[in-house]
Amino acid sequence: MNVQELIKEYIASQPEPKRSDMQTLHERTLQALPGCKLWFDNGKNSENKTVSNPTIGYGFQTIKYADGKTRDFFQIGLSGNTTGISVYILGIKDKTYLAQTYGKKLGKASVTGYCIKFKALKDINIDILEEAIRYGVEASRG
């Protein structure tokens, strides 16, 4: 299966209303980041053990670790979780930026250094979320 098919299958596997919310977020992210590289991480490690929720990835960055090793990874992640949806904005150096800049404007969402969690799209301002996503992609390029 190719990445688009895996993403379609993953979104379809979600219960409603999360399925519709994730489909809307997927479409909005593709519009915000036209031509971006798509990823799908099934959440399993090399021993096929589940270590995280499956995640749809958007964009491309090379992460450099302290030991000098590098890894190619996505910039934005979208994942369903037990309480709702998580949007990961990776590569922002200032771990307070998301919460300080978007936290109060987003609506009913929990915002950490790189993750925005919410129960349903109706609880947040999707335009502010899209603004945060665009910022994250630009910030991770520099």
Side-chain angles (χ1 to χ4, degrees):
M1 250 193 273
N2 70 29
V3 173
Q4 282 91 347
E5 289 168 340
L6 291 168
I7 291 169
K8 189 175 181 178
E9 188 177 90
Y10 172 60
I11 292 172
S13 74
Q14 301 299 310
E16 284 295 355
K18 191 186 303 182
R19 178 182 324 135
S20 295
D21 285 355
M22 288 188 68
Q23 184 63 45
T24 298
L25 280 171
H26 177 61
E27 290 166 7
R28 287 283 297 256
T29 304
L30 290 174
Q31 288 170 359
L33 309 173
C36 70
K37 177 176 172 66
L38 283 176
W39 306 67
F40 185 74
D41 179 348
N42 66 6
K44 296 182 188 293
N45 67 12
S46 57
E47 287 94 50
N48 208 31
K49 290 184 182 167
T50 300
V51 293
S52 66
N53 289 323
T55 304
I56 302 167
Y58 307 87
F60 178 87
Q61 65 180 323
T62 300
I63 299 170
K64 188 171 187 174
Y65 296 98
D67 63 5
K69 292 182 181 173
T70 60
R71 177 181 178 199
D72 293 339
F73 210 62
F74 49 83
Q75 295 165 294
I76 305 298
L78 173 62
S79 180
N81 60 54
T82 54
T83 58
I85 298 170
S86 295
V87 175
Y88 303 101
I89 302 179
L90 308 172
I92 299 174
K93 306 250 184 294
D94 179 353
K95 297 302 174 203
T96 63
Y97 186 84
L98 282 180
Q100 288 178 349
T101 307
Y102 303 106
K104 287 184 173 44
K105 296 190 276 185
L106 267 167
K108 286 194 211 170
S110 159
V111 184
T112 65
Y114 65 91
C115 181
I116 299 171
K117 267 193 235 182
F118 49 93
K119 190 169 176 65
L121 268 184
K122 67 180 175 50
D123 297 331
I124 64 158
N125 182 327
I126 192 169
D127 294 328
I128 298 296
L129 178 62
E130 187 176 316
E131 190 181 311
I133 288 169
R134 287 177 193 268
Y135 171 80
V137 169
E138 287 304 312
S140 66
R141 286 188 181 141

